[in-house]
Amino acid sequence: MRLLLLACLRAQTGNATTAARIQSHLHAAGHICVLKDAFLYESPAEIADLTSTDKFDAALAIHLYKGGRLLQGSRIPFGIIFGGTDVNEDVKSEEKHRVMGAVLEEARFAVAFTVEMKELAAAEWPEARKKIYVQTQGIKTTPSETFDWYRFLERADIPTDTDRLYLFLLICGLRRVKDPLYLVEVFSDWHRKDPSVHLGIIGPAVDPLFTREVKEKVKRAPGVHLLQELPQDDLHAAVKRCFALVNSSTSEGMSAAILEAMDLDVPVLARNIPGNAAIIKHKETGLLFSNPQFSELGLGVSLAEGLCCSDLPATCCTGA
């Protein structure tokens, strides 16, 4: 079967990573899967021409609005994979809600990464409940064996000549829904009390205006660093060497970064939102926090109990 897969393919983003994995799986199953960037097309007519000219048998789209809207009126059968922001955020727009409902009505099936995501979608479009299937996201980590950890730290102006270093990594595209500024002040205050603690924010500049805001804020926050993007293999190697992964998003479908950190046996601290709570059991497989306020002793105690890291510096998220 020759399949078209539509997704937002901005490099180093979760959607691009997910799309590549789906493509690889379909290839392994004996199908031909062609990836196309949804941002390069403006209307369903363009996709109709593409599917007709290139003789596609069926199509998939990641994100009910961004990818799905381009398949409206499609001449070939198609399915939808929920992205997260479609069900969590785009439903708040009356026009997007209308378009997504129409797309879901035409789709042969839809895939949600979690039961919670299925229930959110079914609450918005009850008639589609029977065509929504839950399939958790698969991940594969491939940490580079040649990654230079110390060079990575030096480029970020993080001291390497120390016996103690607690580098927390926050991996996300720089856009408001990922809320990378949520913990900046807290980590900077923590760094002032304990210089061995650092927060590194790493990811593509998805929203240029917001990226400038992040850069300005980070400049005034000692101990917080905006890091250069890395190829996936190097990023996995960096995660493997860091102290913990942090996720502060206001909305997630299923965070690949969290799954990858877990696969690499790296502790995870994540904001307590449905997408994160669906894959993290508090104090067993990670920590969930509900506000950016840190007590002086809370974090060390919570991490020691939840992640078996009793030598952590003292501090943590309250309100989990």
mmCIF file of all heavy atoms in Angstrom, residues 168-188 199-207 210-215 217-218 221 224-227 246-252 271 289 292:
data_model
loop_
_atom_site.group_PDB
_atom_site.id
_atom_site.type_symbol
_atom_site.label_atom_id
_atom_site.label_comp_id
_atom_site.label_asym_id
_atom_site.label_seq_id
_atom_site.Cartn_x
_atom_site.Cartn_y
_atom_site.Cartn_z
ATOM 1 N N PHE A 168 19.309 19.890 34.953
ATOM 2 C CA PHE A 168 17.964 19.499 34.561
ATOM 3 C C PHE A 168 17.747 19.975 33.125
ATOM 4 O O PHE A 168 18.030 21.137 32.812
ATOM 5 C CB PHE A 168 16.928 20.156 35.478
ATOM 6 C CG PHE A 168 16.978 19.702 36.909
ATOM 7 C CD1 PHE A 168 17.983 20.142 37.770
ATOM 8 C CD2 PHE A 168 16.007 18.844 37.413
ATOM 9 C CE1 PHE A 168 18.027 19.738 39.099
ATOM 10 C CE2 PHE A 168 16.048 18.422 38.743
ATOM 11 C CZ PHE A 168 17.057 18.869 39.587
ATOM 12 N N LEU A 169 17.243 19.121 32.270
ATOM 13 C CA LEU A 169 16.986 19.495 30.885
ATOM 14 C C LEU A 169 15.485 19.625 30.628
ATOM 15 O O LEU A 169 14.701 18.758 31.025
ATOM 16 C CB LEU A 169 17.557 18.458 29.917
ATOM 17 C CG LEU A 169 19.070 18.478 29.674
ATOM 18 C CD1 LEU A 169 19.437 17.418 28.640
ATOM 19 C CD2 LEU A 169 19.542 19.845 29.190
ATOM 20 N N LEU A 170 15.123 20.712 29.966
ATOM 21 C CA LEU A 170 13.745 20.931 29.533
ATOM 22 C C LEU A 170 13.770 20.955 27.998
ATOM 23 O O LEU A 170 14.342 21.860 27.405
ATOM 24 C CB LEU A 170 13.205 22.253 30.102
ATOM 25 C CG LEU A 170 11.693 22.477 30.077
ATOM 26 C CD1 LEU A 170 11.331 23.653 30.982
ATOM 27 C CD2 LEU A 170 11.161 22.747 28.678
ATOM 28 N N ILE A 171 13.176 19.943 27.382
ATOM 29 C CA ILE A 171 13.228 19.798 25.928
ATOM 30 C C ILE A 171 11.866 20.142 25.336
ATOM 31 O O ILE A 171 10.866 19.488 25.655
ATOM 32 C CB ILE A 171 13.610 18.350 25.544
ATOM 33 C CG1 ILE A 171 14.976 18.001 26.127
ATOM 34 C CG2 ILE A 171 13.612 18.168 24.036
ATOM 35 C CD1 ILE A 171 15.333 16.530 26.013
ATOM 36 N N CYS A 172 11.830 21.170 24.517
ATOM 37 C CA CYS A 172 10.543 21.564 23.927
ATOM 38 C C CYS A 172 10.752 22.563 22.798
ATOM 39 O O CYS A 172 11.750 23.278 22.766
ATOM 40 C CB CYS A 172 9.633 22.197 24.987
ATOM 41 S SG CYS A 172 10.215 23.797 25.607
ATOM 42 N N GLY A 173 9.803 22.605 21.876
ATOM 43 C CA GLY A 173 9.787 23.683 20.908
ATOM 44 C C GLY A 173 9.430 24.966 21.640
ATOM 45 O O GLY A 173 8.579 24.956 22.541
ATOM 46 N N LEU A 174 10.098 26.066 21.284
ATOM 47 C CA LEU A 174 9.869 27.314 22.011
ATOM 48 C C LEU A 174 8.572 27.963 21.526
ATOM 49 O O LEU A 174 8.543 28.753 20.594
ATOM 50 C CB LEU A 174 11.073 28.242 21.828
ATOM 51 C CG LEU A 174 12.396 27.686 22.366
ATOM 52 C CD1 LEU A 174 13.517 28.700 22.193
ATOM 53 C CD2 LEU A 174 12.269 27.270 23.827
ATOM 54 N N ARG A 175 7.500 27.602 22.210
ATOM 55 C CA ARG A 175 6.180 28.183 21.972
ATOM 56 C C ARG A 175 5.428 28.178 23.297
ATOM 57 O O ARG A 175 5.770 27.430 24.223
ATOM 58 C CB ARG A 175 5.417 27.425 20.892
ATOM 59 C CG ARG A 175 5.311 25.927 21.099
ATOM 60 C CD ARG A 175 4.799 25.235 19.853
ATOM 61 N NE ARG A 175 4.717 23.790 20.006
ATOM 62 C CZ ARG A 175 3.576 23.101 19.952
ATOM 63 N NH1 ARG A 175 2.423 23.734 19.770
ATOM 64 N NH2 ARG A 175 3.573 21.792 20.077
ATOM 65 N N ARG A 176 4.408 29.015 23.382
ATOM 66 C CA ARG A 176 3.781 29.283 24.681
ATOM 67 C C ARG A 176 3.161 28.046 25.323
ATOM 68 O O ARG A 176 3.192 27.896 26.552
ATOM 69 C CB ARG A 176 2.727 30.390 24.549
ATOM 70 C CG ARG A 176 3.349 31.737 24.227
ATOM 71 C CD ARG A 176 2.391 32.897 24.360
ATOM 72 N NE ARG A 176 3.040 34.121 23.920
ATOM 73 C CZ ARG A 176 3.872 34.835 24.666
ATOM 74 N NH1 ARG A 176 4.142 34.441 25.895
ATOM 75 N NH2 ARG A 176 4.433 35.927 24.194
ATOM 76 N N VAL A 177 2.588 27.153 24.521
ATOM 77 C CA VAL A 177 1.931 25.998 25.106
ATOM 78 C C VAL A 177 2.922 25.102 25.856
ATOM 79 O O VAL A 177 2.544 24.382 26.781
ATOM 80 C CB VAL A 177 1.181 25.190 24.013
ATOM 81 C CG1 VAL A 177 2.163 24.466 23.098
ATOM 82 C CG2 VAL A 177 0.184 24.218 24.626
ATOM 83 N N LYS A 178 4.205 25.174 25.508
ATOM 84 C CA LYS A 178 5.236 24.392 26.216
ATOM 85 C C LYS A 178 5.701 25.097 27.489
ATOM 86 O O LYS A 178 6.360 24.480 28.328
ATOM 87 C CB LYS A 178 6.423 24.132 25.288
ATOM 88 C CG LYS A 178 6.070 23.312 24.052
ATOM 89 C CD LYS A 178 5.493 21.958 24.416
ATOM 90 C CE LYS A 178 5.189 21.115 23.194
ATOM 91 N NZ LYS A 178 4.616 19.791 23.537
ATOM 92 N N ASP A 179 5.408 26.373 27.620
ATOM 93 C CA ASP A 179 5.650 27.164 28.834
ATOM 94 C C ASP A 179 7.050 26.976 29.438
ATOM 95 O O ASP A 179 7.187 26.702 30.639
ATOM 96 C CB ASP A 179 4.598 26.819 29.887
ATOM 97 C CG ASP A 179 4.340 27.979 30.847
ATOM 98 O OD1 ASP A 179 4.920 29.064 30.630
ATOM 99 O OD2 ASP A 179 3.574 27.803 31.817
ATOM 100 N N PRO A 180 8.102 27.132 28.651
ATOM 101 C CA PRO A 180 9.458 26.919 29.181
ATOM 102 C C PRO A 180 9.873 27.945 30.240
ATOM 103 O O PRO A 180 10.843 27.716 30.965
ATOM 104 C CB PRO A 180 10.339 27.031 27.932
ATOM 105 C CG PRO A 180 9.563 27.883 26.984
ATOM 106 C CD PRO A 180 8.123 27.503 27.214
ATOM 107 N N LEU A 181 9.145 29.066 30.345
ATOM 108 C CA LEU A 181 9.490 30.083 31.339
ATOM 109 C C LEU A 181 8.897 29.779 32.715
ATOM 110 O O LEU A 181 9.209 30.463 33.688
ATOM 111 C CB LEU A 181 8.995 31.463 30.872
ATOM 112 C CG LEU A 181 9.636 31.997 29.590
ATOM 113 C CD1 LEU A 181 9.035 33.347 29.228
ATOM 114 C CD2 LEU A 181 11.142 32.108 29.743
ATOM 115 N N TYR A 182 8.071 28.761 32.806
ATOM 116 C CA TYR A 182 7.333 28.452 34.028
ATOM 117 C C TYR A 182 8.238 28.272 35.257
ATOM 118 O O TYR A 182 7.912 28.714 36.352
ATOM 119 C CB TYR A 182 6.509 27.189 33.785
ATOM 120 C CG TYR A 182 5.541 26.812 34.870
ATOM 121 C CD1 TYR A 182 4.467 27.635 35.195
ATOM 122 C CD2 TYR A 182 5.671 25.603 35.557
ATOM 123 C CE1 TYR A 182 3.558 27.269 36.167
ATOM 124 C CE2 TYR A 182 4.768 25.236 36.527
ATOM 125 C CZ TYR A 182 3.706 26.065 36.832
ATOM 126 O OH TYR A 182 2.809 25.695 37.801
ATOM 127 N N LEU A 183 9.383 27.612 35.048
ATOM 128 C CA LEU A 183 10.255 27.291 36.182
ATOM 129 C C LEU A 183 11.561 28.089 36.192
ATOM 130 O O LEU A 183 12.439 27.815 37.010
ATOM 131 C CB LEU A 183 10.595 25.796 36.172
ATOM 132 C CG LEU A 183 9.412 24.834 36.341
ATOM 133 C CD1 LEU A 183 9.887 23.400 36.196
ATOM 134 C CD2 LEU A 183 8.743 25.033 37.691
ATOM 135 N N VAL A 184 11.695 29.063 35.290
ATOM 136 C CA VAL A 184 12.964 29.790 35.164
ATOM 137 C C VAL A 184 13.345 30.490 36.460
ATOM 138 O O VAL A 184 14.479 30.362 36.946
ATOM 139 C CB VAL A 184 12.899 30.793 33.991
ATOM 140 C CG1 VAL A 184 14.058 31.784 34.069
ATOM 141 C CG2 VAL A 184 12.948 30.054 32.660
ATOM 142 N N GLU A 185 12.457 31.258 37.035
ATOM 143 C CA GLU A 185 12.788 31.996 38.258
ATOM 144 C C GLU A 185 13.084 31.060 39.416
ATOM 145 O O GLU A 185 14.004 31.305 40.211
ATOM 146 C CB GLU A 185 11.645 32.948 38.614
ATOM 147 C CG GLU A 185 11.495 34.112 37.649
ATOM 148 C CD GLU A 185 10.442 35.096 38.109
ATOM 149 O OE1 GLU A 185 9.908 34.932 39.230
ATOM 150 O OE2 GLU A 185 10.134 36.026 37.339
ATOM 151 N N VAL A 186 12.309 29.989 39.512
ATOM 152 C CA VAL A 186 12.514 29.035 40.600
ATOM 153 C C VAL A 186 13.895 28.383 40.498
ATOM 154 O O VAL A 186 14.627 28.282 41.487
ATOM 155 C CB VAL A 186 11.412 27.956 40.576
ATOM 156 C CG1 VAL A 186 11.755 26.810 41.512
ATOM 157 C CG2 VAL A 186 10.082 28.571 40.964
ATOM 158 N N PHE A 187 14.265 27.948 39.306
ATOM 159 C CA PHE A 187 15.574 27.321 39.137
ATOM 160 C C PHE A 187 16.698 28.332 39.321
ATOM 161 O O PHE A 187 17.768 27.999 39.844
ATOM 162 C CB PHE A 187 15.677 26.647 37.766
ATOM 163 C CG PHE A 187 15.315 25.189 37.795
ATOM 164 C CD1 PHE A 187 14.022 24.786 37.484
ATOM 165 C CD2 PHE A 187 16.244 24.229 38.158
ATOM 166 C CE1 PHE A 187 13.681 23.445 37.518
ATOM 167 C CE2 PHE A 187 15.912 22.889 38.200
ATOM 168 C CZ PHE A 187 14.613 22.483 37.874
ATOM 169 N N SER A 188 16.482 29.561 38.909
ATOM 170 C CA SER A 188 17.512 30.577 39.093
ATOM 171 C C SER A 188 17.725 30.852 40.583
ATOM 172 O O SER A 188 18.861 30.982 41.049
ATOM 173 C CB SER A 188 17.120 31.868 38.361
ATOM 174 O OG SER A 188 18.209 32.755 38.321
ATOM 175 N N LEU A 199 19.474 24.665 34.966
ATOM 176 C CA LEU A 199 18.374 24.278 34.090
ATOM 177 C C LEU A 199 18.764 24.599 32.659
ATOM 178 O O LEU A 199 19.115 25.738 32.335
ATOM 179 C CB LEU A 199 17.087 25.034 34.449
ATOM 180 C CG LEU A 199 15.904 24.842 33.480
ATOM 181 C CD1 LEU A 199 15.413 23.395 33.513
ATOM 182 C CD2 LEU A 199 14.762 25.799 33.818
ATOM 183 N N GLY A 200 18.703 23.613 31.773
ATOM 184 C CA GLY A 200 18.992 23.827 30.359
ATOM 185 C C GLY A 200 17.722 23.669 29.540
ATOM 186 O O GLY A 200 17.036 22.652 29.646
ATOM 187 N N ILE A 201 17.385 24.685 28.755
ATOM 188 C CA ILE A 201 16.220 24.639 27.872
ATOM 189 C C ILE A 201 16.718 24.419 26.451
ATOM 190 O O ILE A 201 17.560 25.166 25.962
ATOM 191 C CB ILE A 201 15.419 25.952 27.953
ATOM 192 C CG1 ILE A 201 14.963 26.216 29.394
ATOM 193 C CG2 ILE A 201 14.213 25.911 27.015
ATOM 194 C CD1 ILE A 201 14.355 27.593 29.597
ATOM 195 N N ILE A 202 16.206 23.394 25.802
ATOM 196 C CA ILE A 202 16.712 23.063 24.479
ATOM 197 C C ILE A 202 15.561 22.692 23.541
ATOM 198 O O ILE A 202 14.688 21.919 23.903
ATOM 199 C CB ILE A 202 17.743 21.911 24.562
ATOM 200 C CG1 ILE A 202 18.339 21.608 23.197
ATOM 201 C CG2 ILE A 202 17.141 20.661 25.182
ATOM 202 C CD1 ILE A 202 19.560 20.703 23.271
ATOM 203 N N GLY A 203 15.564 23.308 22.356
ATOM 204 C CA GLY A 203 14.525 23.008 21.387
ATOM 205 C C GLY A 203 14.455 24.066 20.304
ATOM 206 O O GLY A 203 15.037 25.144 20.431
ATOM 207 N N PRO A 204 13.754 23.796 19.221
ATOM 208 C CA PRO A 204 13.684 24.719 18.085
ATOM 209 C C PRO A 204 12.846 25.950 18.394
ATOM 210 O O PRO A 204 11.915 25.911 19.200
ATOM 211 C CB PRO A 204 13.029 23.871 16.995
ATOM 212 C CG PRO A 204 12.208 22.869 17.744
ATOM 213 C CD PRO A 204 12.991 22.547 18.974
ATOM 214 N N ALA A 205 13.164 27.049 17.712
ATOM 215 C CA ALA A 205 12.439 28.322 17.873
ATOM 216 C C ALA A 205 11.169 28.278 17.022
ATOM 217 O O ALA A 205 11.110 28.855 15.935
ATOM 218 C CB ALA A 205 13.329 29.488 17.476
ATOM 219 N N VAL A 206 10.152 27.619 17.501
ATOM 220 C CA VAL A 206 8.911 27.457 16.749
ATOM 221 C C VAL A 206 8.181 28.793 16.599
ATOM 222 O O VAL A 206 7.652 29.118 15.537
ATOM 223 C CB VAL A 206 7.999 26.419 17.436
ATOM 224 C CG1 VAL A 206 6.676 26.298 16.695
ATOM 225 C CG2 VAL A 206 8.704 25.056 17.501
ATOM 226 N N ASP A 207 8.149 29.562 17.681
ATOM 227 C CA ASP A 207 7.499 30.880 17.687
ATOM 228 C C ASP A 207 8.587 31.942 17.857
ATOM 229 O O ASP A 207 9.098 32.131 18.965
ATOM 230 C CB ASP A 207 6.491 30.943 18.838
ATOM 231 C CG ASP A 207 5.762 32.277 18.929
ATOM 232 O OD1 ASP A 207 6.275 33.285 18.413
ATOM 233 O OD2 ASP A 207 4.668 32.320 19.543
ATOM 234 N N PHE A 210 8.001 34.615 20.667
ATOM 235 C CA PHE A 210 8.120 34.036 21.996
ATOM 236 C C PHE A 210 9.563 33.636 22.286
ATOM 237 O O PHE A 210 10.026 33.744 23.429
ATOM 238 C CB PHE A 210 7.203 32.822 22.135
ATOM 239 C CG PHE A 210 7.237 32.179 23.501
ATOM 240 C CD1 PHE A 210 6.850 32.886 24.624
ATOM 241 C CD2 PHE A 210 7.686 30.879 23.649
ATOM 242 C CE1 PHE A 210 6.890 32.303 25.884
ATOM 243 C CE2 PHE A 210 7.731 30.290 24.897
ATOM 244 C CZ PHE A 210 7.327 31.000 26.018
ATOM 245 N N THR A 211 10.287 33.192 21.276
ATOM 246 C CA THR A 211 11.697 32.829 21.462
ATOM 247 C C THR A 211 12.507 34.017 21.949
ATOM 248 O O THR A 211 13.372 33.881 22.832
ATOM 249 C CB THR A 211 12.291 32.289 20.144
ATOM 250 O OG1 THR A 211 11.588 31.098 19.759
ATOM 251 C CG2 THR A 211 13.773 31.968 20.294
ATOM 252 N N ARG A 212 12.226 35.197 21.393
ATOM 253 C CA ARG A 212 12.924 36.411 21.864
ATOM 254 C C ARG A 212 12.610 36.687 23.329
ATOM 255 O O ARG A 212 13.489 37.092 24.101
ATOM 256 C CB ARG A 212 12.526 37.609 20.997
ATOM 257 C CG ARG A 212 13.126 37.585 19.603
ATOM 258 C CD ARG A 212 13.065 38.949 18.930
ATOM 259 N NE ARG A 212 11.698 39.339 18.619
ATOM 260 C CZ ARG A 212 11.076 39.029 17.491
ATOM 261 N NH1 ARG A 212 11.697 38.302 16.567
ATOM 262 N NH2 ARG A 212 9.840 39.435 17.270
ATOM 263 N N GLU A 213 11.377 36.436 23.704
ATOM 264 C CA GLU A 213 10.979 36.616 25.106
ATOM 265 C C GLU A 213 11.739 35.654 26.016
ATOM 266 O O GLU A 213 12.195 36.026 27.099
ATOM 267 C CB GLU A 213 9.471 36.385 25.241
ATOM 268 C CG GLU A 213 8.917 36.649 26.612
ATOM 269 C CD GLU A 213 7.410 36.429 26.676
ATOM 270 O OE1 GLU A 213 6.721 36.643 25.649
ATOM 271 O OE2 GLU A 213 6.923 36.037 27.757
ATOM 272 N N VAL A 214 11.871 34.413 25.563
ATOM 273 C CA VAL A 214 12.608 33.414 26.339
ATOM 274 C C VAL A 214 14.074 33.821 26.486
ATOM 275 O O VAL A 214 14.649 33.763 27.578
ATOM 276 C CB VAL A 214 12.509 32.022 25.675
ATOM 277 C CG1 VAL A 214 13.442 31.023 26.374
ATOM 278 C CG2 VAL A 214 11.071 31.519 25.707
ATOM 279 N N LYS A 215 14.679 34.263 25.387
ATOM 280 C CA LYS A 215 16.087 34.663 25.431
ATOM 281 C C LYS A 215 16.313 35.810 26.410
ATOM 282 O O LYS A 215 17.290 35.803 27.173
ATOM 283 C CB LYS A 215 16.558 35.064 24.033
ATOM 284 C CG LYS A 215 16.715 33.899 23.069
ATOM 285 C CD LYS A 215 17.180 34.385 21.696
ATOM 286 C CE LYS A 215 17.385 33.210 20.744
ATOM 287 N NZ LYS A 215 17.810 33.650 19.392
ATOM 288 N N LYS A 217 14.479 36.609 29.023
ATOM 289 C CA LYS A 217 14.262 36.144 30.391
ATOM 290 C C LYS A 217 15.446 35.326 30.886
ATOM 291 O O LYS A 217 15.897 35.486 32.028
ATOM 292 C CB LYS A 217 12.979 35.306 30.440
ATOM 293 C CG LYS A 217 12.520 34.919 31.838
ATOM 294 C CD LYS A 217 11.962 36.092 32.597
ATOM 295 C CE LYS A 217 11.369 35.665 33.936
ATOM 296 N NZ LYS A 217 10.033 35.028 33.777
ATOM 297 N N VAL A 218 15.970 34.463 30.024
ATOM 298 C CA VAL A 218 17.085 33.604 30.414
ATOM 299 C C VAL A 218 18.351 34.420 30.675
ATOM 300 O O VAL A 218 19.136 34.104 31.571
ATOM 301 C CB VAL A 218 17.327 32.526 29.333
ATOM 302 C CG1 VAL A 218 18.657 31.808 29.558
ATOM 303 C CG2 VAL A 218 16.188 31.522 29.324
ATOM 304 N N ALA A 221 18.586 35.362 34.217
ATOM 305 C CA ALA A 221 18.352 34.269 35.163
ATOM 306 C C ALA A 221 19.601 33.404 35.310
ATOM 307 O O ALA A 221 19.796 32.448 34.540
ATOM 308 C CB ALA A 221 17.174 33.417 34.697
ATOM 309 N N VAL A 224 20.283 29.375 34.453
ATOM 310 C CA VAL A 224 19.361 28.894 33.415
ATOM 311 C C VAL A 224 19.991 29.163 32.057
ATOM 312 O O VAL A 224 20.514 30.254 31.813
ATOM 313 C CB VAL A 224 17.986 29.578 33.512
ATOM 314 C CG1 VAL A 224 17.055 29.055 32.424
ATOM 315 C CG2 VAL A 224 17.377 29.348 34.889
ATOM 316 N N HIS A 225 19.960 28.185 31.166
ATOM 317 C CA HIS A 225 20.686 28.273 29.903
ATOM 318 C C HIS A 225 19.775 27.878 28.738
ATOM 319 O O HIS A 225 19.048 26.893 28.822
ATOM 320 C CB HIS A 225 21.893 27.332 29.927
ATOM 321 C CG HIS A 225 22.702 27.423 31.184
ATOM 322 N ND1 HIS A 225 23.802 28.237 31.307
ATOM 323 C CD2 HIS A 225 22.540 26.797 32.389
ATOM 324 C CE1 HIS A 225 24.298 28.114 32.531
ATOM 325 N NE2 HIS A 225 23.552 27.245 33.196
ATOM 326 N N LEU A 226 19.836 28.666 27.681
ATOM 327 C CA LEU A 226 19.151 28.311 26.441
ATOM 328 C C LEU A 226 20.182 27.620 25.552
ATOM 329 O O LEU A 226 21.147 28.247 25.099
ATOM 330 C CB LEU A 226 18.592 29.566 25.764
ATOM 331 C CG LEU A 226 17.635 29.338 24.587
ATOM 332 C CD1 LEU A 226 16.440 28.494 25.023
ATOM 333 C CD2 LEU A 226 17.168 30.668 24.023
ATOM 334 N N LEU A 227 20.007 26.344 25.324
ATOM 335 C CA LEU A 227 21.022 25.522 24.679
ATOM 336 C C LEU A 227 20.765 25.359 23.183
ATOM 337 O O LEU A 227 19.628 25.448 22.715
ATOM 338 C CB LEU A 227 21.053 24.137 25.335
ATOM 339 C CG LEU A 227 21.200 24.141 26.867
ATOM 340 C CD1 LEU A 227 21.102 22.725 27.406
ATOM 341 C CD2 LEU A 227 22.522 24.776 27.274
ATOM 342 N N VAL A 246 12.852 17.743 32.757
ATOM 343 C CA VAL A 246 11.742 18.539 33.257
ATOM 344 C C VAL A 246 10.765 18.804 32.113
ATOM 345 O O VAL A 246 11.180 19.051 30.975
ATOM 346 C CB VAL A 246 12.240 19.891 33.819
ATOM 347 C CG1 VAL A 246 11.080 20.721 34.339
ATOM 348 C CG2 VAL A 246 13.260 19.663 34.924
ATOM 349 N N ASN A 247 9.471 18.736 32.403
ATOM 350 C CA ASN A 247 8.444 19.104 31.425
ATOM 351 C C ASN A 247 7.482 20.073 32.115
ATOM 352 O O ASN A 247 6.919 19.753 33.162
ATOM 353 C CB ASN A 247 7.687 17.868 30.940
ATOM 354 C CG ASN A 247 6.593 18.206 29.945
ATOM 355 O OD1 ASN A 247 5.589 18.823 30.279
ATOM 356 N ND2 ASN A 247 6.772 17.783 28.704
ATOM 357 N N SER A 248 7.311 21.264 31.515
ATOM 358 C CA SER A 248 6.454 22.285 32.135
ATOM 359 C C SER A 248 5.301 22.699 31.230
ATOM 360 O O SER A 248 4.725 23.770 31.390
ATOM 361 C CB SER A 248 7.296 23.510 32.510
ATOM 362 O OG SER A 248 7.957 24.034 31.363
ATOM 363 N N SER A 249 4.953 21.865 30.259
ATOM 364 C CA SER A 249 3.922 22.201 29.287
ATOM 365 C C SER A 249 2.553 22.402 29.930
ATOM 366 O O SER A 249 2.233 21.767 30.941
ATOM 367 C CB SER A 249 3.797 21.094 28.237
ATOM 368 O OG SER A 249 4.985 20.934 27.507
ATOM 369 N N THR A 250 1.756 23.264 29.316
ATOM 370 C CA THR A 250 0.372 23.408 29.747
ATOM 371 C C THR A 250 -0.516 22.404 29.029
ATOM 372 O O THR A 250 -1.656 22.187 29.432
ATOM 373 C CB THR A 250 -0.145 24.836 29.469
ATOM 374 O OG1 THR A 250 -0.075 25.091 28.060
ATOM 375 C CG2 THR A 250 0.693 25.874 30.205
ATOM 376 N N SER A 251 0.006 21.803 27.960
ATOM 377 C CA SER A 251 -0.770 20.823 27.199
ATOM 378 C C SER A 251 0.180 19.835 26.527
ATOM 379 O O SER A 251 1.172 20.233 25.943
ATOM 380 C CB SER A 251 -1.616 21.534 26.138
ATOM 381 O OG SER A 251 -2.243 20.614 25.276
ATOM 382 N N GLU A 252 -0.119 18.546 26.655
ATOM 383 C CA GLU A 252 0.648 17.503 25.988
ATOM 384 C C GLU A 252 -0.297 16.409 25.527
ATOM 385 O O GLU A 252 -1.288 16.102 26.201
ATOM 386 C CB GLU A 252 1.684 16.873 26.938
ATOM 387 C CG GLU A 252 2.877 17.741 27.264
ATOM 388 C CD GLU A 252 3.914 17.786 26.145
ATOM 389 O OE1 GLU A 252 3.675 17.161 25.091
ATOM 390 O OE2 GLU A 252 4.952 18.440 26.335
ATOM 391 N N ARG A 271 4.942 18.660 34.789
ATOM 392 C CA ARG A 271 3.755 19.397 35.212
ATOM 393 C C ARG A 271 2.553 18.449 35.242
ATOM 394 O O ARG A 271 2.397 17.606 34.361
ATOM 395 C CB ARG A 271 3.501 20.545 34.242
ATOM 396 C CG ARG A 271 2.578 21.630 34.782
ATOM 397 C CD ARG A 271 2.697 22.835 33.892
ATOM 398 N NE ARG A 271 1.926 23.964 34.332
ATOM 399 C CZ ARG A 271 2.064 25.192 33.842
ATOM 400 N NH1 ARG A 271 2.968 25.419 32.890
ATOM 401 N NH2 ARG A 271 1.317 26.186 34.273
ATOM 402 N N PHE A 289 4.188 17.931 39.320
ATOM 403 C CA PHE A 289 4.052 19.137 40.136
ATOM 404 C C PHE A 289 2.944 20.015 39.570
ATOM 405 O O PHE A 289 2.665 20.004 38.373
ATOM 406 C CB PHE A 289 5.375 19.909 40.232
ATOM 407 C CG PHE A 289 5.952 20.335 38.909
ATOM 408 C CD1 PHE A 289 5.550 21.512 38.295
ATOM 409 C CD2 PHE A 289 6.927 19.576 38.272
ATOM 410 C CE1 PHE A 289 6.090 21.911 37.078
ATOM 411 C CE2 PHE A 289 7.468 19.957 37.052
ATOM 412 C CZ PHE A 289 7.051 21.131 36.457
ATOM 413 N N PRO A 292 4.896 26.247 40.462
ATOM 414 C CA PRO A 292 6.356 26.424 40.401
ATOM 415 C C PRO A 292 6.990 26.784 41.730
ATOM 416 O O PRO A 292 8.148 27.186 41.770
ATOM 417 C CB PRO A 292 6.504 27.588 39.410
ATOM 418 C CG PRO A 292 5.293 28.416 39.649
ATOM 419 C CD PRO A 292 4.189 27.445 39.976
#
